[in-house]
Amino acid sequence: MSRTEEAWKIAINEKSYQALRTIDENTAPLNTPTTSFSSITQPSDTLFPLCIDHTLLKPDATPAQIDTLCDEATRFGFKSCCVNGVYVKQVAARLQSSTSIPCAVIGFPLGASTTAVKVFEAKDAISNGAREIDMVINIGLLKTGSSYSAVFEDVHAVAQACQSQGIPLKVILETIFLSDLETVAGAFIAAEAGAAFVKTCTGFNGGGATKEDVDLMYRTVRYKKGDVKVKASAGIRSFEKCVEMLRAGAERIGTSSGAAIMQNANVSAASGTY
């Protein structure tokens, strides 16, 4: 729902108080993040591949590498292949007989495109076969603390374009630039605007996902009762790191290391490590 700027500030301050208070009081079982993925302890768990967005967003990615990405996603049963818009049509064709789906990024990696451009990008990606959209929030406006309405309208416009086609929207907050209050604000605004997921980072600006940020985002959006989930992305290159994020409340993992994680896990399992 849209609000006045003052109403947004009040709502965000209240949400921040609630989310940070539950972290400080993290002794009651009720306060421990619990999702369908938080109980995963082995890479052989059939749920594990279903939380992986197999990702290739490098500027020098080639069509052949995109094909390899798709083949790996099909082999391991990953949830999606996440690519730049130029490759969505190729991915959709390559995954036709796969359970994996095409995912496209928009406003990537800065979030500084106009809303009209983000909406066009989303519609274009969907028309080319994207079945999920990951957009970058307007980071600069979010950080001002005085433009919450504009941030909401930006996300809401893209969410509507996606929802009209039955496509889930994930909103990237770029948490490496945000304070706890700003992280809460971004997650709350995205949830109110119609996002299906809130996501940590692009991976293009240093740093990466932390369990603390994932936990804070989870506690911010859980009032939606499962309608809004958390995606952890950037710097996740091992099964152990995936588990850390899932236990913090993530239900999706964005990683370019999905195949390596599964291959290493298979080798470890064969040698009795797990």
Side-chain angles (χ1 to χ4, degrees):
M1 60 176 290
S2 187
R3 295 175 166 89
T4 65
E5 204 60 50
E6 187 60 30
W8 274 117
K9 290 178 182 178
I10 293 171
I12 287 166
N13 284 334
E14 290 177 351
K15 183 60 64 177
S16 179
Y17 172 75
Q18 293 166 3
L20 292 170
R21 182 183 62 179
T22 56
I23 292 173
D24 291 339
E25 298 173 356
N26 196 18
T27 55
L30 180 64
N31 288 331
T32 301
T34 302
T35 73
S36 56
F37 296 97
S38 59
S39 62
I40 291 174
T41 58
Q42 302 289 338
S44 58
D45 192 313
T46 55
L47 278 178
F48 180 59
L50 300 179
C51 72
I52 299 295
D53 283 347
H54 197 32
T55 304
L56 181 55
L57 298 168
K58 297 190 301 182
D60 59 345
T62 65
Q65 290 173 324
I66 296 295
D67 278 345
T68 298
L69 184 83
C70 294
D71 294 344
E72 289 170 344
T74 297
R75 174 187 174 189
F76 295 111
F78 294 142
K79 176 65 179 181
S80 81
C81 284
C82 187
V83 297
N84 286 297
V86 69
Y87 287 123
V88 172
K89 188 174 289 187
Q90 177 184 337
V91 170
R94 193 80 174 185
L95 294 179
Q96 270 190 324
S97 59
S98 173
T99 58
S100 299
I101 61 174
C103 172
V105 293
I106 67 168
F108 192 88
L110 304 178
S113 305
T114 65
T115 299
V117 168
K118 289 180 181 178
V119 169
F120 177 85
E121 273 193 285
K123 289 181 176 179
D124 183 65
I126 293 168
S127 71
N128 285 328
R131 291 297 169 262
E132 292 186 341
I133 298 293
D134 288 24
M135 73 165 280
V136 185
I137 206 165
N138 190 316
I139 305 162
L141 283 184
L142 176 62
K143 286 187 66 65
T144 67
S146 60
S147 302
Y148 294 139
S149 295
V151 175
F152 172 86
E153 295 299 338
D154 186 53
V155 177
H156 187 245
V158 178
Q160 285 191 312
C162 292
Q163 289 169 357
S164 68
Q165 301 298 315
I167 303 299
L169 173 68
K170 309 187 201 91
V171 177
I172 307 169
L173 305 185
E174 201 67 302
T175 49
I176 61 165
F177 292 127
L178 306 181
S179 66
D180 285 349
L181 175 61
E182 290 164 348
T183 296
V184 170
F188 179 59
I189 290 170
E192 291 290 281
F197 281 82
V198 289
K199 175 178 169 182
T200 53
C201 305
T202 65
F204 270 69
N205 294 298
T210 68
K211 63 181 180 180
E212 291 79 12
D213 282 335
V214 169
D215 184 62
L216 181 57
M217 292 161 65
Y218 170 85
R219 294 175 191 283
T220 299
V221 302
R222 66 178 179 175
Y223 74 99
K224 286 287 189 177
K225 299 180 180 178
D227 290 340
V228 182
K229 301 176 175 62
V230 178
K231 175 177 173 178
S233 184
I236 304 172
R237 302 184 182 91
S238 69
F239 175 71
E240 292 76 16
K241 189 72 170 181
C242 290
V243 169
E244 181 179 78
M245 297 300 157
L246 296 174
R247 288 180 177 172
E251 295 187 60
R252 194 74 66 86
I253 303 291
T255 178
S256 59
S257 301
I261 290 170
M262 295 301 292
Q263 288 163 350
N264 291 341
N266 289 340
V267 169
S268 297
S271 64
T273 302
Y274 289 106

